[in-house]
Amino acid sequence: MACSARVLGTAWCFLVVISAKSVPGQQGLVYGLPPPCESQIYCTGDLLKQVQLARLYSDDKHFVDMALRESPELVLKKFQQLVNVTPGGSLSKEQLQMFVSSSFSDPGQEFEAWEPEDWTSSPHILAKISDQKLQAWASDLHAKWKSLGRKIKDDVRTRPAFYSLIYVPHPMMVPGGRFIEYYYWDSYWVIEGLLLSEMAATAKGMIQNFLYLVERHGHVPNGGRVYYLRRSQPPLLALMMDAYLAHANDTQFLRDNIHLLEAEYEFWQRNRSVRIAAGDKNHTLNYYNVRIGEPRPESYSKDWDLAADLNKDARQELWAELKSAAESGWDFSSRWFLSWPPPLPATLKDTKASAVVPVDLNAFLCKTEQLLASFYRILGNATKAAEFQAYLERRLDAVQAVFWNEAAGVWLDFNLLKQQPNPAFYPSNLAPLWTDCFSDQAAVDRATQYLEGSTALRYKNGLPTSLARTAEQWDLPNAWPPLQHMVIAALAKSNSSRAKEIAFALAQNWIRTNFALYKKYQVMFEKYSVVGDGEPGTGGEYQVQEGFGWTNGVVLKLLDLYGDRLTSGSHSSPYCAWIVAASIFLLNLK
Ligand SMILES: *[C@@H]1O[C@H](CO)[C@@H](O)[C@H](O)[C@H]1NC(C)=O
Ligand SMILES: *[C@@H]1O[C@H](CO)[C@@H](O)[C@H](O)[C@H]1NC(C)=O
């Protein structure tokens, strides 16, 4: 076996990419494909380009969220007339400003204020929280659902061409801040939070919206805008259904929609799968891969600038990779850079997300297979249940063969171009624990030791996203709610007492950070910094956002799990912080 580098164990040495068709960069980028949507205003074309490159607004998302005052045909015709009478065809910033003001209206008007009908003032979770301050805070967060709720105006349904918003029939919770529409993977934690707030009807409506999108578009887009089409996000729809069914006895809803859950799964299998040989066996796994070689409409000028000194092919390649990274939900991160491990001369320009076969994506699809098998069992369809059980077993095999790294004692992303695992620490390396995607129970202790052995546990404000400082938002020093929840929930449900202790310590840290900043700013943020005294997260391509859907959902989940033990923080009880800090220190020593 030709393999010299053994630093990371032996398993990966046997990995060879066998399908040339699947090798990123070699597959002949399909730039002949249509743009994300047909719209020559919101997705592609000269109007979009001229307006976005004129930088009329500080955030490019502003323009593509504006609704049309007249039909798209008329707006495009007027724009063309202006272009025709302008020497060189490039309108001045003033002309563009006037044109946009007369043809478009301000963002956000496609929604109606909506207060959830199933909101009540005291869900049971509140009574489970011993610390008075945390209880009052949970009550505030519960009340926030009333301000994060949105309903789409009927005009969006009857005149969809006037809007970039994709119509869905049921009201929803939005993340907040810049994110005024619904998002895919955010919604999983929002739905978990809603269920703890005993708002099952609202949660169900959100799931119905995603099913509606699968029915019409064949996949769940990244978020509720036409410019997010053809790019999805981490697939958690089956998990949403499972969470809902745990709170509501609604087998009929499952029966009516199982085909759509299956259709979403098929999208990932058909459009996002890659074949890898490990040892003497071929495996099929999934990756994020969006072959659209144009700037992201909502971040057009940034993508344009980033590619400024590249030739046409390299430019399109980079844009496709940025979209692939956006599909991962981790936009952006050194995790997708081709050059690793850090320290990094690498930057965003080195993003090569389609070269990465990610542990977490495959852990989510593994869960989807488990759930579809179990859903079909519930519905009494043994044939289909057996089919998904077989997919699950195939996945377990592949996850073990391709991702499990015996030397590291954890699962690692696999890089197709380097034909190596990525040795860097990411909380996502533990995702198979969360989704029960492993057969050998020894993995629990090994992965726990891996976590203890990394320096990630030393940060008292939360588990960092990576250990690389890049100024990208999915890297050090930022910590994100969904990653805290996945790791905490994974360790908490294990049989290992050590894993459980770490889970609690992490939960306590996270609650303290969130609570302290809530006291200071009266808001919840989308991410937090693990360094310093605790601050909102930083970096990336936009200012940190407040609201915030998944943050609130994760706090409610942790309060549900540990409400009898969690305390509100060092302000009221300095000794507690010491005890937590000391126990994390001791955990690290072992
Ligand atoms: C998925 O693949 C099918 C068949 O190749 C194609 O028609 C469809 O447009 C693809 N969907 C997306 C969202 O890329
Ligand atoms: C199981 O599901 C498949 C696909 O939907 C269907 O063709 C078949 O008739 C179902 N079998 C039973 C027993 O319901």
Side-chain angles (χ1 to χ4, degrees):
M1 176 54 62
C3 179
S4 50
R6 288 181 175 267
V7 280
L8 282 160
T10 51
W12 62 269
C13 298
F14 301 98
L15 294 163
V16 181
V17 176
I18 53 155
S19 166
K21 176 173 143 277
S22 316
V23 179
Q26 288 180 17
Q27 91 190 60
L29 288 171
V30 247
Y31 297 129
L33 279 177
C37 76
E38 299 306 317
S39 170
Q40 296 284 317
I41 293 168
Y42 294 121
C43 294
T44 191
D46 191 35
L47 191 166
L48 177 70
K49 182 176 173 182
Q50 289 211 30
V51 170
Q52 296 293 44
L53 294 185
R55 291 158 224 262
L56 301 183
Y57 308 100
S58 59
D59 186 342
D60 288 350
K61 192 169 182 302
H62 186 105
F63 171 65
V64 286
D65 291 351
M66 295 174 94
L68 301 180
R69 292 185 194 273
E70 297 159 321
S71 74
E73 294 75 24
L74 202 56
V75 170
L76 283 165
K77 194 171 149 205
K78 286 184 175 172
F79 179 74
Q80 197 52 50
Q81 283 165 354
L82 281 171
V83 166
N84 291 346
V85 298
T86 306
S90 293
L91 309 193
S92 70
K93 187 164 180 174
E94 290 66 35
Q95 279 178 299
L96 287 164
Q97 187 74 72
M98 275 179 56
F99 171 74
V100 170
S101 311
S102 70
S103 300
F104 293 81
S105 56
D106 282 343
Q109 297 178 35
E110 58 271 79
F111 298 102
E112 284 167 18
W114 170 77
E115 276 210 15
E117 282 147 30
D118 52 357
W119 192 91
T120 55
S121 58
S122 34
H124 289 97
I125 181 178
L126 297 179
K128 289 172 72 176
I129 305 167
S130 312
D131 183 301
Q132 293 299 303
K133 289 180 179 167
L134 293 184
Q135 191 187 57
W137 179 41
S139 181
D140 288 2
L141 298 187
H142 170 63
K144 269 183 185 280
W145 298 131
K146 293 201 275 189
S147 59
L148 293 173
R150 300 283 185 281
K151 184 175 179 358
I152 299 180
K153 286 184 184 160
D154 199 49
D155 196 47
V156 181
R157 180 179 66 80
T158 55
R159 298 192 309 158
F162 283 65
Y163 299 91
S164 64
L165 192 71
I166 306 174
Y167 176 80
V168 287
H170 299 276
M172 71 215 53
M173 294 293 155
V174 300
R178 173 184 195 250
F179 305 107
I180 59 175
E181 56 287 288
Y182 52 95
Y183 282 81
Y184 183 8
W185 80 313
D186 290 70
S187 297
Y188 170 76
W189 287 277
V190 168
I191 285 168
E192 287 277 20
L194 286 172
L195 292 169
L196 289 171
S197 281
E198 293 164 23
M199 296 165 67
T202 301
K204 179 178 180 175
M206 289 182 70
I207 298 170
Q208 285 173 295
N209 288 342
F210 291 123
L211 294 164
Y212 177 95
L213 291 166
V214 173
E215 193 163 32
R216 277 158 188 78
H217 302 284
H219 67 286
V220 182
N222 183 136
R225 296 279 173 184
V226 290
Y227 54 76
Y228 288 136
L229 281 168
R230 301 192 54 223
R231 152 182 143 201
S232 192
Q233 247 190 350
L236 298 172
L237 183 55
L239 282 82
M240 293 176 194
M241 176 66 92
D242 186 46
Y244 169 71
L245 293 177
H247 280 77
N249 183 9
D250 199 349
T251 312
Q252 191 56 44
F253 181 52
L254 177 64
R255 189 180 302 282
D256 292 344
N257 292 292
I258 185 91
H259 64 291
L260 295 174
L261 295 179
E262 196 175 330
E264 202 239 355
Y265 172 76
E266 279 165 10
F267 161 77
W268 288 92
Q269 293 303 85
R270 186 185 56 236
N271 299 60
R272 301 286 189 265
S273 71
V274 61
R275 281 166 62 74
I276 301 168
D280 53 2
K281 240 173 140 178
N282 298 332
H283 296 282
T284 301
L285 286 167
N286 298 78
Y287 65 155
Y288 297 109
N289 188 15
V290 184
R291 297 287 93 191
I292 298 170
E294 292 193 42
R296 289 168 301 150
E298 80 283 9
S299 298
Y300 199 103
S301 63
K302 288 200 166 77
D303 288 2
W304 186 267
D305 291 351
L306 191 69
D309 57 357
L310 301 176
N311 69 29
K312 184 162 180 255
D313 284 354
R315 217 159 57 201
Q316 295 188 335
E317 175 65 37
L318 176 57
W319 290 333
E321 291 300 338
L322 293 176
K323 290 206 177 74
S324 304
E327 186 171 72
S328 79
W330 289 43
D331 39 338
F332 293 103
S333 172
S334 61
R335 188 178 170 201
W336 315 121
F337 293 175
L338 191 57
S339 320
W340 43 254
L344 307 145
T347 68
L348 193 53
K349 270 173 100 167
D350 301 290
T351 295
K352 192 79 188 152
S354 73
V356 180
V357 189
V359 171
D360 46 358
L361 169 60
N362 286 282
F364 301 150
L365 289 168
C366 185
K367 190 58 163 188
T368 300
E369 287 154 352
Q370 287 170 38
L371 289 174
L372 282 168
S374 111
F375 291 161
Y376 273 120
R377 255 175 249 127
I378 292 169
L379 298 177
N381 192 326
T383 317
K384 293 297 274 183
E387 182 187 327
F388 279 93
Q389 189 64 32
Y391 297 154
L392 170 62
E393 267 141 39
R394 200 177 65 185
R395 175 89 53 182
L396 287 167
D397 237 26
V399 164
Q400 173 70 21
V402 178
F403 294 137
W404 179 256
N405 190 281
E406 189 50 35
V410 78
W411 300 270
L412 297 174
D413 290 345
F414 183 74
N415 192 293
L416 296 167
L417 285 178
K418 296 188 168 222
Q419 296 191 33
Q420 281 178 22
N422 178 351
F425 170 84
Y426 307 108
S428 53
N429 291 348
L430 296 159
L433 280 190
W434 184 54
T435 63
D436 308 299
C437 191
F438 57 95
S439 311
D440 182 359
Q441 287 306 311
V444 177
D445 288 329
R446 296 296 314 280
T448 306
Q449 284 160 16
Y450 164 82
L451 185 60
E452 289 181 274
S454 83
T455 55
L457 283 192
R458 293 187 193 159
Y459 297 93
K460 66 177 170 51
N461 297 337
L463 197 59
T465 313
S466 79
L467 299 175
R469 254 179 207 281
T470 60
E472 297 309 332
Q473 58 169 354
W474 288 81
D475 272 316
L476 199 67
N478 288 342
W480 289 86
L483 304 182
Q484 313 300 310
H485 176 249
M486 273 184 231
V487 172
I488 293 167
L491 300 176
K493 73 177 170 183
S494 75
N495 293 323
S496 150
S497 55
R498 187 147 198 88
K500 286 177 198 277
E501 278 171 61
I502 298 174
F504 178 71
L506 287 171
Q508 179 65 82
N509 286 351
W510 188 247
I511 289 295
R512 291 252 167 89
T513 306
N514 283 221
F515 181 71
L517 267 73
Y518 185 74
K519 282 274 151 224
K520 191 166 166 185
Y521 299 103
Q522 271 76 56
V523 294
M524 299 295 290
F525 296 97
E526 62 167 349
K527 59 180 180 268
Y528 294 85
S529 168
V530 296
V531 299
D533 293 337
E535 281 303 323
T538 55
E541 48 178 6
Y542 55 81
Q543 292 302 306
V544 66
Q545 302 297 311
E546 48 187 75
F548 197 92
W550 67 11
T551 314
N552 306 358
V554 168
V555 167
L556 292 175
K557 282 300 273 185
L558 298 181
L559 289 172
D560 181 54
L561 188 59
Y562 297 122
D564 54 339
R565 295 166 68 195
L566 289 167
T567 58
S568 50
S570 48
H571 301 298
S572 57
S573 158
Y575 299 107
C576 281
W578 272 104
I579 291 164
V580 171
S583 44
I584 289 206
F585 179 72
L586 290 173
L587 289 171
N588 271 316
L589 283 185
K590 198 208 151 183

